[in-house]
Amino acid sequence: MTVLDDTPGEPADARGRVAELHEIRAKAVAGPSEKATESQHAKGKLTARERIELLLDAGSFKEVEQLRRHRATGFG
């Protein structure tokens, strides 16, 4: 049994939480931002996801912990 709390601003039902996860996954697949993608392309580089798509067969790559966020902040 899953207990869902009533934290303000968060979906209270399972469907709302599933919809929220779908939204988060879509953002993860889209990448950091349009500006970052354009910056990579301007340098003649591909994004990580684009390189993976070129390297592997379609549908053969399964990303583990796609929704994981890092806490590193020291990027200069």
Side-chain angles (χ1 to χ4, degrees):
M1 178 175 151
T2 302
V3 177
L4 302 175
D5 60 4
D6 292 327
T7 306
E10 292 187 13
D13 63 344
R15 286 190 180 136
R17 290 194 184 253
V18 169
E20 183 180 28
L21 287 174
H22 284 295
E23 182 181 327
I24 293 170
R25 182 173 290 129
K27 287 180 183 178
V29 170
S33 71
E34 203 49 47
K35 183 179 177 182
T37 301
E38 288 174 12
S39 175
Q40 280 289 92
H41 291 166
K43 296 175 189 174
K45 297 180 178 183
L46 298 173
T47 65
R49 290 185 190 281
E50 290 169 338
R51 293 190 305 267
I52 289 170
E53 287 176 13
L54 288 173
L55 182 64
L56 303 174
D57 294 331
S60 66
F61 179 72
K62 299 296 180 196
E63 189 170 352
V64 178
E65 296 188 16
Q66 183 181 38
L67 305 180
R68 168 82 60 161
R69 298 286 182 249
H70 66 79
R71 293 186 229 173
T73 58
F75 294 114

